[in-house]
Amino acid sequence: MAVDKRACVVVLGDVGRSPRMQYHALSLAKEGYSVDIVGYSGSAPHSDLLFSPKISFHYMNPPPSFISIFPQFITYFLKTLWQTWFLVWTLFWISKPNFYLVQNPPSIPTLPVCWFIARVNRTQLAIDWHNYGYTIMGLTLGPSHLLTRFSHFIEAFFGRFAGINMCVTKAMSQDLQKNWGVCATTLYDRPAEIFRPVSLSEKHELFLKLGKDYHEFSSSRPDDTLLTERFADGQVRLRLDRPGLLVSSTSWTEDEDFSILLDALDEYELNRSVNSSDYPPLLCVITGKGPLKNYYGKLIQAKEWQHVEICTPWLEPEDYPKLIASADLGVSLHTSSSGLDLPMKIVDMFGCGLPVCAVGYDCLKELVTDGKNGMIFKTAGDLADKLLAWFHGFPQNNEENRQLYRRQLEVYQSLRWHSEWCKVALPLLSPTN
């Protein structure tokens, strides 16, 4: 008799902006699980989730906007009550799963509620530790704030009750064990199949599509773009006079200081003005949504660059991987509030074969090897030096060095999410455990 395998994936956030939890759901469905996903609507989830007969979405209602008129502490309390009610209600009506797989952070009210529901249903609680909620809260409220300390208590207390724990780095696994006695298995992020190198024709079609909405990609000729050209016989070629394409993605939050990139681009602009034959103009594409986007948007608008342009589009899910695969260099400004997680954006870039300039912190070495698959910087001046070295003589001169980095990533591209998940996560989540 076949065992009915069910899983409930809980994301107290926008499901479409939670790639790792989407990957969990897809892998569970591939391995025969019926999967219920609980979270908020917003950005479109991956199309494979939407069309999978094994996956069902249960969207929660967001808290009413009027609660924001109250003082911060009261607003937080009312928001938590609202989320608790809807989360309890939703989880009670879902068929009993073999386990609840919960994303952390956020910790409140997710961990207490899911622990309670798991106890009532006599089933497993699994936590996937992406970071610590209290360290993220500390960025805005300060480490000694009452809410920060309360979040720390909730994570430390309820984290010990989970029967299954996974996390994103070895450094986090060691920290969980040392400080809270939580034994967590490291499941590294790996790129999904959609993050892969693309052909010249795919790049050209993407740039044509983007050019309809963003003039930065367009050309005076309808069949050409700023970066590519198509000939009468249908052949596509990269333009020799094209700008360097720099790409970054962000949630526009406090743990990513984009002033570092803007200052580095100031220096690049100056060097390009003085040595125009040595460096190409740059097109810098920054994708994503988040609370600080308007703040940085005003800083970008104030720039009077002649040789650097910044474009901040929101891309359709299928276009984002193609953009990364079409770029010449990626930039990551993720610093991690805890210093213990790794940027998913770098994983995606590596999957596309794109080398990365990344701001350095302690555990980044678990992903980026400086001088081999990417470059690590500390300051805006460091980043400017990396950009100037990378794009010197672009696109023809120094190309051998750029290709050397890309060849280093070929091995990484062979390590995909589902195979890693089956090796690490599936034995933990198996209903026989």
Side-chain angles (χ1 to χ4, degrees):
M1 181 176 177
V3 177
D4 182 25
K5 299 192 296 185
R6 300 196 65 89
C8 179
V9 176
V10 181
V11 182
L12 203 65
D14 185 340
V15 174
R17 295 172 65 188
S18 304
R20 182 173 164 105
M21 301 308 286
Q22 293 184 68
Y23 296 167
H24 273 300
L26 281 172
S27 288
L28 286 163
K30 286 180 181 179
E31 296 304 315
Y33 283 83
S34 297
V35 184
D36 293 298
I37 301 179
V38 177
Y40 288 113
S41 61
S43 306
H46 194 287
S47 58
D48 288 351
L49 275 81
L50 295 174
F51 295 112
S52 172
K54 304 285 289 184
I55 296 175
S56 302
F57 290 86
H58 307 270
Y59 289 123
M60 297 168 55
N61 290 342
S65 57
F66 75 82
I67 67 172
S68 61
I69 66 174
F70 296 102
Q72 182 185 56
F73 190 88
I74 296 176
T75 297
Y76 183 81
F77 178 73
L78 293 175
K79 178 182 177 182
T80 301
L81 283 180
W82 179 276
Q83 291 175 325
T84 300
W85 163 250
F86 267 96
L87 190 55
V88 170
W89 176 263
T90 305
L91 294 179
F92 262 131
W93 280 101
I94 290 173
S95 298
K96 176 184 174 180
N98 298 98
F99 54 85
Y100 296 95
L101 177 57
V102 183
Q103 174 185 290
N104 185 80
S107 320
I108 304 171
T110 324
L111 295 188
V113 168
C114 291
W115 168 80
F116 172 73
I117 298 296
R119 291 275 292 185
V120 170
N121 284 333
R122 297 183 180 181
T123 190
Q124 286 266 44
L125 173 63
I127 301 177
D128 191 25
W129 298 82
H130 297 193
N131 199 349
Y132 295 145
Y134 80 91
T135 62
I136 294 175
M137 194 172 287
L139 291 176
T140 53
L141 300 179
S144 60
H145 193 280
L146 177 61
L147 292 178
T148 304
R149 288 186 281 119
F150 181 63
S151 178
H152 179 280
F153 168 77
I154 291 295
E155 284 181 286
F157 183 78
F158 286 98
R160 297 186 182 100
F161 291 122
I164 303 166
N165 286 278
M166 292 176 281
C167 63
V168 294
T169 64
K170 290 180 180 177
M172 181 172 283
S173 176
Q174 293 166 0
D175 190 79
L176 283 164
Q177 178 66 54
K178 177 182 177 181
N179 294 315
W180 296 345
V182 173
C183 183
T185 301
T186 301
L187 173 64
Y188 281 120
D189 285 318
R190 297 295 182 191
E193 294 294 336
I194 193 172
F195 291 97
R196 57 172 180 80
V198 296
S199 65
L200 266 178
S201 60
E202 288 177 292
K203 294 179 183 181
H204 183 70
E205 293 302 321
L206 173 67
F207 295 148
L208 284 174
K209 180 180 179 180
L210 293 176
K212 295 176 182 178
D213 297 315
Y214 304 100
H215 69 87
E216 292 89 349
F217 291 92
S218 62
S219 169
S220 56
R221 294 181 55 187
D223 283 345
D224 294 348
T225 74
L226 182 68
L227 300 108
T228 55
E229 53 189 345
R230 181 159 54 197
F231 297 95
D233 62 359
Q235 293 294 312
V236 174
R237 186 181 74 178
L238 291 169
R239 294 175 56 157
L240 295 178
D241 62 345
R242 70 186 184 275
L245 181 56
L246 196 66
V247 67
S248 185
S249 59
T250 177
S251 299
W252 298 107
T253 52
E254 289 83 357
D255 60 356
E256 292 183 305
D257 184 1
F258 265 80
S259 64
I260 294 175
L261 177 59
L262 299 183
D263 290 345
L265 292 176
D266 277 334
E267 190 167 335
Y268 187 94
E269 167 78 13
L270 178 61
N271 278 268
R272 158 69 184 182
S273 299
V274 176
N275 304 298
S276 60
S277 62
D278 291 339
Y279 305 105
L282 283 186
L283 173 56
C284 181
V285 181
I286 306 172
T287 70
K289 295 178 180 178
L292 295 180
K293 184 174 182 177
N294 289 338
Y295 168 77
Y296 282 110
K298 292 176 182 177
L299 295 181
I300 292 169
Q301 290 176 0
K303 299 294 182 182
E304 296 181 352
W305 293 323
Q306 300 300 312
H307 309 288
V308 176
E309 278 196 282
I310 290 184
C311 181
T312 57
W314 176 250
L315 300 172
E316 296 176 12
E318 64 270 20
D319 289 338
Y320 173 62
K322 294 178 183 176
L323 175 68
I324 292 176
S326 302
D328 299 301
L329 184 65
V331 173
S332 170
L333 293 161
H334 178 87
T335 53
S336 175
S337 61
S338 65
L340 298 170
D341 69 316
L342 294 171
M344 176 70 87
K345 65 174 70 66
I346 296 182
V347 174
D348 296 340
M349 290 173 182
F350 281 1
C352 293
L354 179 66
V356 175
C357 268
V359 64
Y361 56 95
D362 285 347
C363 76
L364 189 66
K365 62 181 179 292
E366 293 188 37
L367 179 61
V368 180
T369 303
D370 190 30
K372 290 190 175 181
N373 59 10
M375 296 167 282
I376 296 176
F377 63 90
K378 289 290 187 181
T379 66
D382 291 341
L383 177 55
D385 291 342
K386 305 290 187 187
L387 296 180
L388 290 166
W390 186 264
F391 287 106
H392 186 267
F394 181 89
Q396 294 172 305
N397 296 337
N398 201 32
E399 181 61 15
E400 183 178 344
N401 179 59
R402 290 186 284 267
Q403 289 301 323
L404 181 62
Y405 279 80
R406 291 183 182 273
R407 285 195 293 272
Q408 291 287 338
L409 292 172
E410 290 176 0
V411 173
Y412 189 89
Q413 292 171 58
S414 66
L415 303 172
R416 295 291 169 171
W417 167 268
H418 187 64
S419 59
E420 183 77 1
W421 184 91
C422 285
K423 182 173 67 175
V424 177
L426 184 58
L428 298 173
L429 298 172
S430 170
T432 59
N433 284 326

